[in-house]
Amino acid sequence: MLRDWPNHHGYQTKLLLDLNLFFVTDGERVVELEKSISKLYLLNLDKLFPIINPLYSNTGCPAKNQQGIIRSLVLMLDQGVHDLPTWAAKVASDKLLCAICGFEFGDAPAFSSYYDLTKRLWLGSHQTQVARKKRLRSFYPKPRQKLEQGKKYKLPKHNGIVKKFAELAIRNELPAYHPERVFQDFLARCVIDSSLQMEILGNQQAFSIAADGTPFYSGASHYGVKVCDCKSQGIFNCKCPRRYSDPDATWGWDSYREQWFYGDTLFCITASDSPYDLPIYLRKAQAQRHDAIITVFALDESLKLYPNIVFKNFLADGAMDNYPTYKLVNHLGMVPFIPLDSNVKFPDHDLPAGVFGFDEHGNPLCAKGLSYHSCGYSYPKGIKYRCRFAYEGLTAPCPCSDKAYGRTVYIKPDFDPRLFPPVRRDSDGFKNMMKRRTTVERSHKRIFVDYDIEAGHCRSSRERFMRATMAAVNVHLDAWVKHPWFSIIELLNKSLVA
């Protein structure tokens, strides 16, 4: 069961009282930790109680310091510490760090309490995870074949797998189980909602998002632990089954570094209109999972996670360039901004009247093989194209139409939503929107480089995702402190004057 859950106002009041004393006795250190203290002072964990309360029983020894452990995990990444036992011991022996986290000095939790809380928040069975570590599994060496530069995994060979999941999402029948759900709820309710109120994520009624996956390297070895006696027989490169300390990790292709990696994929959705490139959704997936499959689940879960947001624009890279994704995005009422794959093929049958093919840019061709001129979208008819000669006032070499306005054709996006999206790919609007797609790349940089979440060398998806979530919280708190500017030192000076 959960012990008393002090509200955020009580934490702020006690922290200010403690800092007044530290400011007098150890002012230099308080100034040194000014930004870190400011971030935790603003982090309101009141909405976390209804999220995690159902995870505890109503009887038994009460859990305590749960709020403080969350703050301590956020502070750990902020201070660049990645070893949990080392950090827990440091906090327990430091009066100022105890006060910042909300602990009573001398009663700070041991590192085991940190792991216990993480296990509690992860909906996957810990007993099953331990059993998987003990179970012998086949040995899979690092793949030898390398993909071409900039290329990602091809779609799975299972016929229509993306289409199958997209149709399930449209019918609202996707599997709902994902063990990271509590971490997602914590990020959404305690952090994202506050960022929305501060208006640093963009227009809530016309929300734009950018999505992409990135490799998340495991700290475990892919060789595993041998339990056979091949070595005693002089066989050193056997392929016998063995135990693995990280049974969640698999092989995947890192297209940025152009190498195979052993670990997970971290899928991130970022508010593309945010000036701070803030993430709003994280999900873990197997390393070999294609981004097109993860996108289906991510879009479905994001809309359910944020019912008060009106999602309008969806920005993604070529990995999501497939018909099921366009169908799902259109069903959700969003406008897709996805570049065409280099191997795209244009339709050559069942064409609209007056269209006899398409050029390499997707523009329709007339009977003489000349491309029409695009005049933009004409609601509700579709994308309007005019005879190029009539548009430019030239004499047409072919009698397509006897009218001075020239031949006009309309192509509706539903004719082929992939080739003819609502916003044309060669338009300035599409190009300007695609410039914001890199917000998700910068969000990855903030999580993986600035907060260096891989430095902990974690050997489970649970620990890796916990650190990714705390890094995302730090990214938002950095924006809170900066917009508008907030300083705990100024608050302390005002309280001392008063």
Side-chain angles (χ1 to χ4, degrees), residues 188-492:
R189 303 286 79 86
C190 296
V191 181
I192 308 300
D193 287 350
S194 298
S195 294
L196 282 171
Q197 294 178 0
M198 297 174 66
E199 299 181 350
I200 58 176
L201 294 179
N203 185 359
Q204 188 172 345
Q205 299 304 314
F207 206 73
S208 299
I209 57 174
D212 196 12
T214 187
F216 199 163
Y217 286 69
S218 171
S221 170
H222 69 276
Y223 289 105
V225 179
K226 296 181 180 181
V227 294
C228 60
D229 60 349
C230 292
K231 186 176 180 180
S232 63
Q233 301 177 21
I235 304 173
F236 298 96
N237 60 342
C238 69
K239 303 296 187 295
C240 297
R242 55 197 70 183
R243 294 192 182 100
Y244 293 88
S245 60
D246 189 355
D248 300 322
T250 55
W251 286 109
W253 177 252
D254 186 344
S255 59
Y256 176 75
R257 299 179 180 89
E258 298 182 14
Q259 65 183 23
W260 293 97
F261 75 96
Y262 188 69
D264 295 325
T265 291
L266 181 68
F267 194 84
C268 178
I269 292 181
T270 303
S272 60
D273 288 338
S274 170
Y276 303 103
D277 308 319
L278 300 177
I280 66 167
Y281 171 88
L282 299 175
R283 199 185 205 280
K284 74 100 181 174
Q286 291 181 321
Q288 75 270 28
R289 186 75 67 205
H290 196 278
D291 281 354
I293 298 176
I294 312 175
T295 299
V296 176
F297 287 86
L299 286 175
D300 179 72
E301 293 168 6
S302 296
L303 268 68
K304 295 176 181 177
L305 199 59
Y306 303 103
N308 297 326
I309 294 180
V310 179
F311 291 88
K312 181 180 180 182
N313 301 315
F314 175 68
L315 288 66
D317 59 14
M320 290 71 154
D321 180 34
N322 57 80
Y323 286 102
T325 298
Y326 285 94
K327 183 178 179 180
L328 175 61
V329 171
N330 291 335
H331 171 77
L332 298 176
M334 302 173 67
V335 180
F337 290 86
I338 306 173
L340 277 176
D341 183 59
S342 58
N343 299 322
V344 65
K345 294 182 179 180
F346 293 94
D348 55 3
H349 60 279
D350 298 331
L351 301 177
V355 177
F356 297 87
F358 298 90
D359 62 13
E360 65 275 11
H361 301 295
N363 296 314
L365 302 176
C366 67
K368 287 292 185 179
L370 303 173
S371 61
Y372 286 93
H373 180 83
S374 175
C375 299
Y377 193 86
S378 177
Y379 183 83
K381 295 183 178 181
I383 304 174
K384 178 181 178 180
Y385 292 92
R386 283 183 58 192
C387 171
R388 184 172 297 277
F389 295 96
Y391 179 82
E392 297 177 357
L394 304 176
T395 302
C398 51
C400 292
S401 174
D402 55 357
K403 297 180 180 180
Y405 194 74
R407 185 65 182 264
T408 303
V409 297
Y410 294 90
I411 297 181
K412 290 190 175 182
D414 55 5
F415 167 70
D416 193 319
R418 179 175 174 231
L419 301 181
F420 306 101
V423 181
R424 292 171 42 244
R425 290 185 174 88
D426 59 349
S427 65
D428 292 336
F430 186 91
K431 295 176 182 177
N432 291 333
M433 285 297 295
M434 285 304 295
K435 291 179 181 178
R436 297 297 302 167
R437 195 201 69 80
T438 54
T439 56
V440 69
E441 309 289 350
R442 292 191 288 273
S443 181
H444 290 162
K445 180 261 180 185
R446 292 281 285 136
I447 293 175
F448 282 89
V449 178
D450 293 357
Y451 287 101
D452 199 11
I453 58 176
E454 291 177 332
H457 304 291
C458 299
R459 299 186 181 185
S460 71
S461 295
R462 178 185 65 227
E463 293 299 322
R464 287 193 290 273
F465 193 82
M466 179 274 290
R467 291 170 188 259
T469 302
M470 298 308 165
V473 173
N474 268 295
V475 173
H476 279 266
L477 295 179
D478 289 334
W480 293 4
V481 171
K482 188 176 181 180
H483 180 90
W485 179 257
F486 175 80
S487 172
I488 194 69
I489 300 299
E490 295 182 4
L491 203 59
L492 285 174

Side-chain angles (χ1 to χ4, degrees), residues 24 29 35 53 77 135 159 163 196 212 274 281 358 369 409 467:
V24 175
R29 190 147 180 260
K35 184 178 179 181
N53 189 43
L77 291 183
R135 188 184 307 133
N159 190 21
K163 180 180 179 181
L196 282 171
D212 196 12
S274 170
Y281 171 88
F358 298 90
V409 297
R467 291 170 188 259

Side-chain angles (χ1 to χ4, degrees), residues 2-135:
L2 275 178
R3 204 169 180 174
D4 55 328
W5 190 271
N7 59 37
H8 184 59
H9 178 71
Y11 162 75
Q12 289 181 322
T13 302
K14 184 177 183 305
L15 178 61
L16 285 178
L17 291 175
D18 291 338
L19 289 178
N20 282 329
L21 175 61
F22 286 113
F23 198 48
V24 175
T25 60
D26 197 3
E28 292 184 0
R29 190 147 180 260
V30 174
V31 173
E32 180 184 351
L33 295 173
E34 174 188 4
K35 184 178 179 181
S36 302
I37 300 173
S38 300
K39 289 164 64 173
L40 293 183
Y41 182 85
L42 296 175
L43 179 60
N44 189 342
L45 298 178
D46 288 348
K47 294 182 179 179
L48 181 60
F49 179 76
I51 296 174
I52 70 172
N53 189 43
L55 304 177
Y56 292 82
S57 67
N58 295 324
T59 59
C61 181
K64 60 179 182 179
N65 292 324
Q66 306 302 292
Q67 291 170 299
I69 293 176
I70 295 291
R71 297 189 192 100
S72 183
L73 290 171
V74 175
L75 184 62
M76 179 182 74
L77 291 183
D78 177 79
Q79 293 299 301
V81 181
H82 302 283
D83 183 67
L84 202 49
T86 301
W87 173 254
K90 181 178 180 180
V91 172
S93 61
D94 192 309
K95 292 184 179 180
L96 179 56
L97 292 181
C98 280
I100 296 173
C101 296
F103 301 136
E104 292 291 342
F105 184 69
D107 193 31
F111 71 90
S112 57
S113 297
Y114 289 75
Y115 287 119
D116 287 342
L117 178 61
T118 305
K119 294 173 188 176
R120 178 84 62 174
L121 300 183
W122 188 258
L123 297 183
S125 171
H126 178 63
Q127 289 74 15
T128 302
Q129 181 75 358
V130 173
R132 290 180 64 202
K133 287 186 177 182
K134 295 180 179 180
R135 188 184 307 133

Side-chain angles (χ1 to χ4, degrees), residues 171-189:
R171 299 198 303 266
N172 195 25
E173 297 177 359
L174 273 179
Y177 173 76
H178 46 290
E180 64 270 37
R181 181 176 58 81
V182 175
F183 285 100
Q184 293 173 344
D185 290 341
F186 158 58
L187 182 64
R189 303 286 79 86

